[in-house]
Amino acid sequence: MTEDQNEAALWWATAVSHIEPGSIELRDRPVQELIGRTSLAGVIWLMLRGAMPSPPESALLEAALVAGVDHGPQAPSIAAARMAATCGVGLNNAIATGVNMLGDAHGGAGQQCVEMLTDIRTAHDDGLGWDDAARDVMAEWQSRSRYLPGFGHRFHPVDPRRDPLLGLVRQAVADGVVGGDFLHAALAVESALRRRRAGARPVPMNIDGATAVIYAELGFPAPLARGLFVLSRSVGILAHAWEESGQGRRNKGPVPRSVLPARLPQPKDA
């Protein structure tokens, strides 16, 4: 190998995969040893972490990925992908359009929730009880925004994905698969919200919060909570874009053609 070739090889050096003629290795494992033997969730873990998960860890990760695949066209990512699919672009463009909608407000709450739960765990490790730790961290977060990431849902009074996901986490804690600190932190936030909003509309843990508990318990850094959600939601985005592409619409807008947007008054001069 020449000096220039060695420089180029080092420029693209990676531990994720290694490809040579007739050989594909993922994290030093020949791909043929993974095909038919490892689930997609297991391979995702392997690619991100460099080692294989235990079967219970893989099952818990898969449950989180399954739970987030779709939320119908109420979700901007799904609606945008469906509209893009009618605009003469390819399926990959429609998927990219939906994925690119997953920002801080729609898709980023899982990452933010892991960060908040981590703050609560740190406060607990410093000597506070779970309830006091949650109260202090919630106050600090709500000094910046009234929204608490991972809690509340504009559509569901109780998110139907919460209970099964947390049930799996509780079982994983009982089995010694995960530690349970992030579960305790999230439940402390829920308890604080329940006390604060007694008699008012509840603010339950939503899909971002429930999956954040799982990702954090499994040891994924906060940014990967968003990345994993993107992988999960891409399944629903693909399904909706494909369905829409077969329905024959052209240039589908956000509302039916018979509905005209309401007129706003013109802004007054400054």
Side-chain angles (χ1 to χ4, degrees):
M1 182 180 293
T2 67
E3 183 176 343
D4 287 345
Q5 288 173 325
N6 185 59
E7 183 180 10
L10 290 173
W11 184 262
W12 291 108
T14 174
V16 174
S17 59
H18 184 74
I19 313 300
E20 293 182 2
S23 174
I24 301 172
E25 294 180 357
L26 306 179
R27 296 288 188 180
D28 293 336
R29 295 171 183 263
V31 70
Q32 61 266 30
E33 295 180 5
L34 300 171
I35 296 171
R37 303 178 186 177
T38 307
S39 69
L40 178 59
V43 170
I44 290 170
W45 183 298
L46 172 67
M47 295 291 280
L48 293 175
R49 305 276 284 267
M52 293 297 297
S54 67
E57 288 172 330
S58 181
L60 195 55
L61 174 59
E62 185 161 359
L65 294 171
V66 167
V69 294
D70 188 17
H71 196 252
Q74 293 89 351
S77 55
I78 301 295
R82 293 194 72 118
M83 288 190 288
T86 70
C87 295
V89 300
L91 194 59
N92 60 307
N93 302 98
I95 295 169
T97 298
V99 166
N100 282 333
M101 297 290 285
L102 296 173
D104 287 345
H106 172 49
Q111 175 180 350
Q112 297 155 12
C113 187
V114 170
E115 293 168 352
M116 183 178 71
L117 298 179
T118 301
D119 289 346
I120 294 171
R121 185 181 68 164
T122 299
H124 178 264
D125 289 345
D126 289 341
L128 292 179
W130 286 114
D131 289 341
D132 290 338
R135 181 200 62 215
D136 289 357
V137 170
M138 289 166 66
E140 196 276 327
W141 275 75
Q142 291 194 298
S143 70
R144 304 192 301 267
S145 170
R146 69 188 182 93
Y147 294 104
L148 285 174
F151 294 84
H153 205 292
R154 64 184 179 84
F155 196 80
H156 299 294
V158 176
D159 194 314
R161 298 162 289 193
R162 175 206 179 276
D163 289 351
L165 289 175
L166 294 195
L168 291 171
V169 176
R170 288 191 177 95
Q171 186 61 54
V173 172
D175 293 341
V177 178
V178 298
D181 281 357
F182 295 98
L183 175 62
H184 288 308
L187 294 176
V189 173
E190 271 197 328
S191 295
L193 289 170
R194 194 178 304 114
R195 291 191 299 270
R196 183 191 299 178
R197 296 182 59 84
R201 189 176 189 273
V203 182
M205 192 183 310
N206 58 36
I207 182 63
D208 298 303
T211 54
V213 170
I214 290 179
Y215 296 143
E217 290 286 356
L218 290 175
F220 288 99
L224 285 181
R226 185 188 305 217
L228 290 165
F229 179 76
V230 169
L231 290 180
S232 171
R233 181 53 57 87
S234 295
V235 176
I237 290 172
L238 169 61
H240 278 274
W242 177 244
E243 180 185 67
E244 188 69 54
S245 68
Q247 292 184 345
R249 292 188 182 92
R250 289 170 57 88
N251 300 328
K252 181 175 185 174
V255 294
R257 292 186 177 90
S258 60
V259 178
L260 298 178
R263 187 191 297 268
L264 291 174
Q266 297 300 316
K268 296 180 180 179
D269 293 336

